Amino acid sequence: MTQLDIAKNGVLTNELIRCAEIEEIEVDKLRRLVAEGVVVIPKNKLHNVKKPVAIGSGLSVKVNANIGTSVGYSSIQEEIEKLKVALDAGADTVMVLSTWGNLSEMRRVLVKESYVPVGSVPIYDSAVKAFNEKKNVVDFSESDFIDMVLQHAEDGVDFMTIHVGITKGVLEKSKNSKRIMKIVSRGGAIIAGWMIKNNKENPFYKNFDEILKIAKEYDITLSLGDGMRPGALVDATDVQQLEELFYMQELVEKAYAEGVQVMLEGPGHVPLNEIEMNVKLMKKIGLGRPIFLLGPLPTDRGMGHDHIVSAIGGALAGYYGCDFLCYVTPAEHIGLPDVSEVREGVIASKIAATVADVARGLPKALRLEKQMAIARRNFDWTEMFKLAIDGEKSKKKYEAMNYTDEGCSMCGPFCAIKVTRDYMEDKTQCTTK
Amino acid sequence: MTQLDIAKNGVLTNELIRCAEIEEIEVDKLRRLVAEGVVVIPKNKLHNVKKPVAIGSGLSVKVNANIGTSVGYSSIQEEIEKLKVALDAGADTVMVLSTWGNLSEMRRVLVKESYVPVGSVPIYDSAVKAFNEKKNVVDFSESDFIDMVLQHAEDGVDFMTIHVGITKGVLEKSKNSKRIMKIVSRGGAIIAGWMIKNNKENPFYKNFDEILKIAKEYDITLSLGDGMRPGALVDATDVQQLEELFYMQELVEKAYAEGVQVMLEGPGHVPLNEIEMNVKLMKKIGLGRPIFLLGPLPTDRGMGHDHIVSAIGGALAGYYGCDFLCYVTPAEHIGLPDVSEVREGVIASKIAATVADVARGLPKALRLEKQMAIARRNFDWTEMFKLAIDGEKSKKKYEAMNYTDEGCSMCGPFCAIKVTRDYMEDKTQCTTK
């Protein structure tokens, strides 16, 4: 039985109990949210997830980090390093998106190394296999679609992106579209290419029942991928994007009936003024299922700093109800991120998630903000570094300044907190709790 | 006559004509906005501002970078370097906030070096003078307040922060406040300390007419400082902050009657869900005057990455009508920023300003986004780096990857744009304009 089935039956799993503790939410309330399908707990039966994560309505916003090899880069050591850095920086999940080297073996190693849920995109493997056999990247068979899903399930992956909404109908509509960038989803483009070349329906859509069987057996959470997500700001929120989304509703219902956990993936490149609408529409059409956004990026001109661009969009999306942010690194749109860029990406997304949690008034988030204010008021640097999202970096900078007086080198003797304390307050430590 | 007086008289200044070109706005429309006081063009008569800037309603969001020395750090060479880096990165103005070394001399050098408007906070000089004379930082006379404003005007400063709203009434109310951090504004704390120690009204408030005379003579734009801005997220949008704001309205009216340009400064630390309210309230009470925000920071836990935190808040504030963003560097709350942190701060704020301009639908901002989409679609890296807010960094990363095929090292042969082009599009260059 899946986490969803068990919750429907009123039983508490170890993962559910642990997640309720982390979220500071009453355990039966969390069970009900899982039973309703509006919260998922991704966990493959074969994967020992030591730090489970609950994603969805009413919970803190979660962060996913993408790692994985690419053409010419396939060091498993470097991927393990990326995994460690991402987890240390606070990633709640990782997706292994390798397209170079021994994919299955690397996946198994990373699943074993990861104490958080691991995601993947099975269709990549088919394209890589075709490419390695010197064929076009869309030259593989219909059964490969299903085989790859099963392979990933056996490798222990906890959630998988299945680009199930790119149907013939959606592609037909997109033919005469005014989009500047027709498809920017790697998986989406491969499936669309396969469909056009073979003149066949999307096998994930056609064989969705079979996918559900595998997902049910291993308790894979399906992440319904948005192959048609806009890839440029000027293409945002167009008919193709929405057509694909509309196909999701029946799939959400089918999965729920089978006891399979699902979430919905979303854009992408979205102007700030359209983020609220996008999130609310996804929640509405997706029947309240958890939403997993890549970004969103509210400008295309932030190359080299897309972690910042994505933090802006992610914070606002989280505030409006997005549950799960896929990080974006400074290397996005330029090349494969290195280890330090993975770290920067996770930190930026954690900041966005924190901003959203605070804005949504989550008690835990507000308590941490108050503790930080008190630490700053008391010049308690140790406590500040403990409460900071990235205490490591801020401590390093502070120590490098070698400023020994109270306060810091920014204001020196003119520190507002010191001046205020001297003239407006008693001089005891602030103990407000 | 000031830019405001001249605009009221229906005459076009060179600065106004140049700003209209930059903003791509009809010149007489811009003149009317200046004449109404809802747009300012800061320019001291003594400063040759080669790149003037118009700030306010209907225009693109502007970015200010703070530079300046602090205790133990007073290299004019390093400050000139910070100025250059800030301008290269796209800062629209700089504020010189030095508190160490020969302040007036340094200011004059930086004003001369700067082709954009320069701002300052005159009250710092009084505190620094007192400190250097081994007195308490609030030990100076009432006339020093006015003298320092005159000194800064003669040094060629284009806009000045005057913490005029911290009145006795506001301080009285703040006595029993529940704020964790009573005052975090450096200038605000010094003035409040002075007022309490001397049991006198705020000299800027009491002698506002005299300040206006100086401002009128040199055409200084007054930036009405928010000494009571909240300095911790949990202190945001409280009565003290709003009381001070409410005092601004009469001052805005007085300044307008005298032909003096003004803008309003604002917080600070504000949760994401209160940014819209803060901006709209400031616009309403401030009679539509330009708004200049420090941040805002929607979490206090981003230490070491407060440029990202501030980009989140600034983008949303800009979307809701904030006109002018004061940058925040990664060093904020830790120490004085170095040259590279100044650069990072400006870039993050420029990203926020760009996101806001796009969300507000400014035609120029949308045109650049479209050009970027086309460049990406065509794999035109030269054009991408030209359109990027930080082309320098993205070019460096791209070249370091040494990836020679079309696309980039992220997706390699599985690049969605390539796959889409092979199966869904004709293979010619995209020329949509």
Side-chain angles (χ1 to χ4, degrees):
Chain A
M1 289 213 297
T2 64
Q3 294 280 340
L4 173 53
D5 287 327
I6 300 169
K8 279 181 184 174
N9 290 341
V11 179
L12 306 176
T13 64
N14 290 335
E15 291 78 24
L16 188 117
I17 294 167
R18 183 73 197 104
C19 288
E21 284 167 8
I22 295 168
E23 300 287 338
E24 302 187 2
I25 180 174
E26 202 264 310
V27 67
D28 202 62
K29 186 175 173 191
L30 184 60
R31 186 198 57 75
R32 283 197 307 274
L33 294 170
V34 174
E36 286 166 19
V38 299
V39 166
V40 296
I41 300 180
K43 194 206 159 299
N44 186 316
K45 288 177 182 175
L46 302 178
H47 183 202
N48 178 15
V49 177
K50 295 194 191 90
K51 193 181 167 198
V53 59
I55 304 164
S57 285
L59 309 181
S60 61
V61 175
K62 304 305 185 301
V63 168
N64 172 71
N66 290 340
I67 61 171
T69 60
S70 195
V71 57
Y73 307 85
S74 64
S75 153
I76 181 70
Q77 279 317 312
E78 189 172 346
E79 293 312 312
I80 290 174
E81 181 66 16
K82 284 184 188 171
L83 172 70
K84 285 188 175 160
V85 160
L87 296 181
D88 284 351
D92 298 290
T93 66
V94 289
M95 287 187 85
V96 177
L97 305 182
S98 292
T99 55
W100 210 250
N102 186 329
L103 305 186
S104 178
E105 190 187 305
M106 278 195 295
R107 203 154 40 232
R108 283 171 184 250
V109 170
L110 291 166
V111 165
K112 206 177 158 199
E113 290 282 330
S114 174
Y115 56 78
V116 301
V118 174
S120 70
V121 186
I123 193 72
Y124 292 173
D125 286 33
S126 307
V128 172
K129 190 170 155 239
F131 182 81
N132 287 337
E133 290 169 0
K134 314 279 181 213
K135 296 190 278 188
N136 288 322
V137 300
V138 302
D139 287 341
F140 48 86
S141 73
E142 188 163 340
S143 63
D144 283 337
F145 282 79
I146 314 295
D147 294 347
M148 290 298 170
V149 172
L150 186 59
Q151 177 67 55
H152 282 234
E154 287 178 350
D155 290 342
V157 162
D158 305 287
F159 62 103
M160 285 179 206
T161 299
I162 306 286
H163 298 94
V164 65
I166 304 198
T167 60
K168 276 189 142 184
V170 171
L171 278 189
E172 193 56 43
K173 289 219 178 178
S174 116
K175 258 188 190 162
N176 298 313
S177 88
K178 290 196 167 52
R179 272 197 179 187
I180 290 178
M181 306 186 86
K182 289 215 169 173
I183 300 184
V184 297
S185 155
R186 190 157 49 165
I190 293 164
I191 294 172
W194 187 94
M195 289 167 65
I196 291 168
K197 187 156 187 220
N198 296 286
N199 192 26
K200 281 191 179 173
E201 184 52 280
N202 179 341
F204 286 142
Y205 182 72
K206 196 172 137 196
N207 306 305
F208 193 60
D209 294 340
E210 221 170 315
I211 305 286
L212 287 178
K213 266 185 211 153
I214 300 169
K216 189 173 176 70
E217 189 182 339
Y218 293 83
D219 197 0
I220 309 295
T221 299
L222 295 182
S223 190
L224 306 182
D226 55 337
M228 297 305 293
R229 68 169 173 271
L233 199 109
V234 291
D235 291 338
T237 326
D238 65 359
V239 172
Q240 289 103 286
Q241 175 196 330
L242 301 177
E243 279 284 338
E244 183 185 31
L245 172 64
F246 296 161
Y247 274 93
M248 305 288 185
Q249 198 168 64
E250 73 167 292
L251 305 170
V252 165
E253 284 172 333
K254 272 190 180 181
Y256 187 72
E258 294 299 321
V260 171
Q261 305 187 93
V262 290
M263 50 191 176
L264 269 69
E265 295 186 14
H269 296 244
V270 188
L272 203 71
N273 55 313
E274 293 179 9
I275 289 176
E276 178 180 5
M277 169 175 63
N278 268 274
V279 170
K280 290 184 174 170
L281 193 58
M282 284 181 72
K283 276 281 181 193
K284 179 74 185 177
I285 301 298
L287 306 174
R289 263 55 189 173
I291 292 177
F292 183 23
L293 294 189
L294 177 53
L297 299 168
T299 174
D300 294 356
R301 296 178 53 225
M303 284 178 86
H305 304 268
D306 275 327
H307 60 311
I308 298 179
V309 178
S310 141
I312 295 171
L316 198 62
Y319 171 53
Y320 285 123
C322 170
D323 309 288
F324 194 20
L325 301 175
C326 187
Y327 89 161
V328 171
T329 78
E332 187 78 21
H333 301 110
I334 306 177
L336 197 68
D338 61 24
V339 173
S340 74
E341 288 160 334
V342 165
R343 186 175 194 280
E344 282 187 79
V346 173
I347 295 289
S349 280
K350 289 294 285 185
I351 289 172
T354 303
V355 166
D357 288 348
V358 170
R360 285 158 76 171
L362 294 192
K364 186 175 177 177
L366 293 176
R367 192 177 66 236
L368 292 169
E369 293 290 335
K370 188 166 185 180
Q371 287 172 359
M372 183 56 123
I374 293 167
R376 287 174 55 221
R377 159 73 176 70
N378 291 338
F379 299 112
D380 184 346
W381 293 94
T382 309
E383 182 72 4
M384 279 187 255
F385 300 141
K386 212 176 83 188
L387 290 163
I389 292 165
D390 186 3
E392 191 182 318
K393 187 186 172 193
S394 33
K395 188 174 179 217
K396 209 169 148 187
K397 164 81 182 170
Y398 177 72
E399 289 175 350
M401 296 304 293
N402 205 21
Y403 184 81
T404 51
D405 203 354
E406 262 191 346
C408 78
S409 60
M410 170 72 106
C411 299
F414 312 104
C415 169
I417 303 173
K418 281 198 286 195
V419 174
T420 309
R421 199 181 48 188
D422 288 347
Y423 294 94
M424 293 181 75
E425 295 170 345
D426 66 66
K427 298 184 186 185
T428 55
Q429 287 250 317
C430 178
T431 55
T432 317
K433 285 290 172 197
Chain B
M1 289 213 297
T2 63
Q3 294 280 340
L4 172 54
D5 287 328
I6 300 168
K8 280 181 183 173
N9 290 342
V11 179
L12 306 176
T13 64
N14 289 336
E15 290 79 23
L16 189 119
I17 293 167
R18 182 74 195 103
C19 288
E21 283 167 9
I22 296 168
E23 300 287 338
E24 302 187 0
I25 180 175
E26 202 265 309
V27 68
D28 202 63
K29 186 175 172 191
L30 184 61
R31 186 199 58 74
R32 284 198 308 273
L33 295 170
V34 174
E36 286 166 20
V38 300
V39 165
V40 296
I41 299 179
K43 195 207 159 297
N44 186 317
K45 288 178 182 174
L46 302 178
H47 183 201
N48 178 15
V49 177
K50 293 193 193 92
K51 194 182 166 195
V53 58
I55 303 164
S57 285
L59 308 181
S60 60
V61 175
K62 305 304 185 302
V63 168
N64 172 71
N66 290 340
I67 61 172
T69 61
S70 195
V71 56
Y73 308 85
S74 63
S75 154
I76 181 70
Q77 277 318 311
E78 190 172 346
E79 293 311 313
I80 290 174
E81 181 65 17
K82 284 184 188 171
L83 171 70
K84 285 190 175 159
V85 160
L87 295 182
D88 284 351
D92 297 290
T93 66
V94 290
M95 286 187 85
V96 178
L97 304 181
S98 293
T99 55
W100 209 251
N102 186 330
L103 304 186
S104 178
E105 189 187 303
M106 278 196 295
R107 203 154 39 233
R108 283 170 187 251
V109 170
L110 291 167
V111 164
K112 206 174 157 202
E113 291 281 333
S114 174
Y115 55 77
V116 302
V118 174
S120 70
V121 185
I123 193 71
Y124 292 173
D125 286 33
S126 307
V128 171
K129 192 171 154 237
F131 182 81
N132 287 339
E133 291 168 1
K134 313 279 181 212
K135 295 190 279 189
N136 288 322
V137 300
V138 304
D139 288 341
F140 48 85
S141 72
E142 188 163 340
S143 62
D144 283 337
F145 282 80
I146 314 296
D147 294 347
M148 291 298 170
V149 172
L150 186 58
Q151 178 67 55
H152 282 234
E154 286 178 349
D155 290 342
V157 162
D158 306 287
F159 62 104
M160 285 180 205
T161 297
I162 306 288
H163 298 93
V164 65
I166 303 197
T167 61
K168 276 188 141 183
V170 170
L171 276 189
E172 195 53 44
K173 290 220 177 178
S174 115
K175 258 187 189 162
N176 299 313
S177 88
K178 290 194 168 54
R179 271 196 180 188
I180 290 178
M181 306 186 86
K182 289 215 170 175
I183 299 185
V184 296
S185 155
R186 189 158 48 166
I190 292 164
I191 292 173
W194 187 94
M195 289 167 65
I196 290 167
K197 191 161 185 216
N198 296 286
N199 191 27
K200 282 190 180 173
E201 185 51 281
N202 180 341
F204 286 142
Y205 183 71
K206 197 172 136 195
N207 306 304
F208 193 60
D209 294 341
E210 222 170 313
I211 305 286
L212 287 179
K213 267 185 211 153
I214 300 169
K216 189 174 176 72
E217 189 182 340
Y218 293 83
D219 198 0
I220 310 294
T221 299
L222 295 182
S223 190
L224 306 182
D226 56 336
M228 298 304 293
R229 69 168 172 271
L233 199 110
V234 291
D235 292 338
T237 328
D238 65 359
V239 172
Q240 289 103 285
Q241 175 195 330
L242 300 178
E243 279 284 338
E244 184 185 30
L245 172 64
F246 295 161
Y247 275 92
M248 305 287 185
Q249 197 169 63
E250 73 168 291
L251 305 169
V252 166
E253 284 172 334
K254 272 191 180 180
Y256 187 72
E258 294 299 322
V260 171
Q261 304 188 93
V262 290
M263 50 190 175
L264 269 69
E265 295 186 14
H269 296 244
V270 187
L272 202 71
N273 55 313
E274 293 179 9
I275 289 176
E276 178 179 6
M277 170 175 62
N278 268 274
V279 171
K280 290 183 174 170
L281 193 57
M282 285 182 72
K283 276 281 180 191
K284 178 76 186 176
I285 301 298
L287 306 174
R289 264 54 191 173
I291 293 177
F292 183 23
L293 295 189
L294 177 54
L297 299 168
T299 173
D300 293 356
R301 296 177 55 223
M303 284 179 85
H305 304 269
D306 275 327
H307 61 311
I308 297 179
V309 178
S310 140
I312 295 172
L316 199 61
Y319 171 53
Y320 284 124
C322 169
D323 309 289
F324 194 20
L325 301 175
C326 187
Y327 88 161
V328 172
T329 77
E332 187 79 19
H333 303 110
I334 306 177
L336 197 68
D338 61 23
V339 173
S340 74
E341 288 160 336
V342 165
R343 185 175 195 280
E344 281 187 80
V346 173
I347 295 288
S349 280
K350 289 293 286 184
I351 289 173
T354 303
V355 167
D357 289 348
V358 169
R360 285 157 77 172
L362 294 192
K364 185 175 176 176
L366 293 176
R367 191 177 66 235
L368 292 169
E369 294 291 334
K370 188 165 183 179
Q371 287 171 358
M372 183 57 123
I374 294 167
R376 287 174 56 220
R377 159 73 175 72
N378 291 339
F379 299 112
D380 183 346
W381 293 94
T382 309
E383 182 73 4
M384 280 187 255
F385 300 142
K386 211 177 86 189
L387 289 163
I389 292 166
D390 187 2
E392 190 181 319
K393 186 187 172 193
S394 34
K395 188 174 179 215
K396 209 168 148 189
K397 164 80 183 171
Y398 177 73
E399 288 176 349
M401 296 303 295
N402 204 21
Y403 183 82
T404 50
D405 203 352
E406 261 191 347
C408 78
S409 61
M410 170 72 106
C411 300
F414 312 104
C415 169
I417 304 173
K418 281 197 286 194
V419 174
T420 309
R421 198 182 48 187
D422 288 348
Y423 294 94
M424 292 179 76
E425 297 171 344
D426 65 67
K427 298 185 185 186
T428 54
Q429 288 249 316
C430 179
T431 54
T432 316
K433 284 292 170 197

